[in-house]
Amino acid sequence: MSEVILNKEDLFKMLDSLLREPASFWDGFYKDRAKAIPFFHNAPDENLVSYFEKSLLTPGKVLELGCGPGRNALYLAGSGCIVDAADVSEEALEWAKERARREQKKIHFIHKNIFEMNLKNESYDLIYDSGCFHHLAPHRRLTYVDLLNKWLKPGGHFGLVCFSPGGHLGGSELSDWEVYRSRSLMGGLGYTEEKLKEIFNGFTIMEIRKMKAVEEDERLFGLPGFQTALFRKA
Ligand SMILES: C[S@@+](CC[C@H](N)C(=O)[O-])C[C@H]1O[C@@H](n2cnc3c(N)ncnc32)[C@H](O)[C@@H]1O
């Protein structure tokens, strides 16, 4: 690999190299499926389900970013959506594929880093991300917004679940500069409502709120400490 910075992507790759390499970390993370990790439970996000119940979303073509073992992709496929679901971890996708086979749901899984996907001429009604964005380095927010603009149809939606600052499961309060000084996201960055509005300021806010705790309902995933948002592309 030549270590020359000639353009923005070279610079981003250099910054990536200062931080954790995602594929090997996440493959290791998913090795033990019996771990008590809340999102290992196969239930969709409460906010995602509520968007469909309130008709903020209707079935269409969906891309899920960082789908993990597939709980939201499975829900979306079961709701009549055509689903592409991407993750950098092969272990996660193996698990997701097993679930899809068992539930007889058709999902197109993509084993890729979301910044290296080659989706020629694809466009989506919904791009959904639950828990991937807060694991991305600050410089990647720029390419992330580019990716949304490139792959969302006009009028398409972007749904997000991410850590709030200081949540009990994660949500570090580092400044962006501190991430590179410490060479760590300390388990994932926390985002306030204001920060999300700033980052996604080119989109219209449909709904932005804290995730609801739904511990008593095992058909849904909902815990405190998370921010949820639904945006619409103009
Ligand atoms: C906290 S997990 C959430 C998984 C799933 N969305 C869920 O909520 O059940 C974050 C996921 O993002 C994936 N991920 C992190 N960085 C990624 C990247 N750059 N490209 C693709 N996937 C990534 C990880 O492999 C992991 O499965």
Side-chain angles (χ1 to χ4, degrees), residues 57-63 80-84 119-128 145-159 202-204 206 231-234:
L57 294 178
T58 52
K61 196 155 178 237
V62 180
L63 172 65
C81 296
I82 298 162
V83 184
D84 288 346
L119 303 173
K120 285 207 187 85
N121 304 321
E122 291 291 1
S123 58
Y124 295 93
D125 299 293
L126 170 67
I127 297 183
Y128 193 69
V145 171
D146 288 347
L147 175 160
L148 297 180
N149 279 317
K150 186 168 158 203
W151 288 327
L152 269 183
K153 290 179 187 170
H157 290 86
F158 163 56
F203 296 81
T204 305
M206 305 302 291
F231 297 95
R232 186 173 182 273
K233 184 180 167 181

Side-chain angles (χ1 to χ4, degrees), residues 22 26 30 39 64-69 71-72 86-89 92 112-115 130-132 134-136:
W26 286 104
Y30 288 116
F39 72 84
E64 189 182 2
L65 303 172
C67 65
R71 56 193 185 84
N72 288 309
D87 203 285
V88 74
S89 161
K112 278 273 182 211
N113 186 316
I114 58 167
F115 300 113
S130 181
C132 178
H134 57 213
H135 290 296
L136 302 176

Side-chain angles (χ1 to χ4, degrees), residues 6-205:
L6 296 175
N7 55 43
K8 205 166 78 174
E9 196 45 39
D10 293 341
L11 172 63
F12 284 3
K13 286 211 168 110
M14 183 279 286
L15 292 171
D16 288 340
S17 78
L18 299 178
L19 297 158
R20 180 174 82 190
E21 196 282 312
S24 51
F25 171 81
W26 286 104
D27 277 339
F29 185 86
Y30 288 116
K31 275 259 168 345
D32 177 7
R33 296 183 185 181
K35 275 191 297 196
I37 302 291
F39 72 84
F40 280 10
H41 176 57
N42 188 5
D45 292 335
E46 64 78 16
N47 56 298
L48 179 62
V49 173
S50 81
Y51 301 150
F52 281 93
E53 285 175 353
K54 292 187 283 195
S55 299
L56 284 173
L57 294 178
T58 52
K61 196 155 178 237
V62 180
L63 172 65
E64 189 182 2
L65 303 172
C67 65
R71 56 193 185 84
N72 288 309
L74 290 161
Y75 166 76
L76 289 160
S79 305
C81 296
I82 298 162
V83 184
D84 288 346
D87 203 285
V88 74
S89 161
E90 201 170 355
E91 286 284 337
L93 290 184
E94 275 313 308
W95 193 358
K97 283 177 194 167
E98 283 172 34
R99 283 176 166 172
R101 268 193 300 272
R102 207 176 313 129
E103 295 182 24
Q104 301 188 327
K105 305 247 172 79
K106 200 169 157 235
I107 296 169
H108 174 227
F109 290 106
I110 304 167
H111 179 212
K112 278 273 182 211
N113 186 316
I114 58 167
F115 300 113
E116 291 165 8
M117 286 190 298
N118 186 16
L119 303 173
K120 285 207 187 85
N121 304 321
E122 291 291 1
S123 58
Y124 295 93
D125 299 293
L126 170 67
I127 297 183
Y128 193 69
D129 177 331
S130 181
C132 178
F133 176 74
H134 57 213
H135 290 296
L136 302 176
H139 65 282
R140 282 294 171 190
R141 284 182 213 131
L142 308 177
T143 26
Y144 190 93
V145 171
D146 288 347
L147 175 160
L148 297 180
N149 279 317
K150 186 168 158 203
W151 288 327
L152 269 183
K153 290 179 187 170
H157 290 86
F158 163 56
L160 179 69
V161 174
C162 62
F163 288 137
S164 295
H168 69 287
L169 291 173
S172 61
E173 296 173 67
L174 302 174
S175 74
D176 288 349
W177 288 30
E178 190 55 32
V179 167
Y180 301 98
R181 274 196 291 268
S182 60
R183 296 182 72 159
S184 171
L185 276 71
M186 302 294 174
L189 301 176
Y191 288 93
T192 59
E193 186 176 317
E194 289 65 39
K195 186 90 185 271
L196 293 179
K197 285 178 179 165
E198 220 176 337
I199 295 167
F200 301 108
N201 67 3
F203 296 81
T204 305
I205 299 163

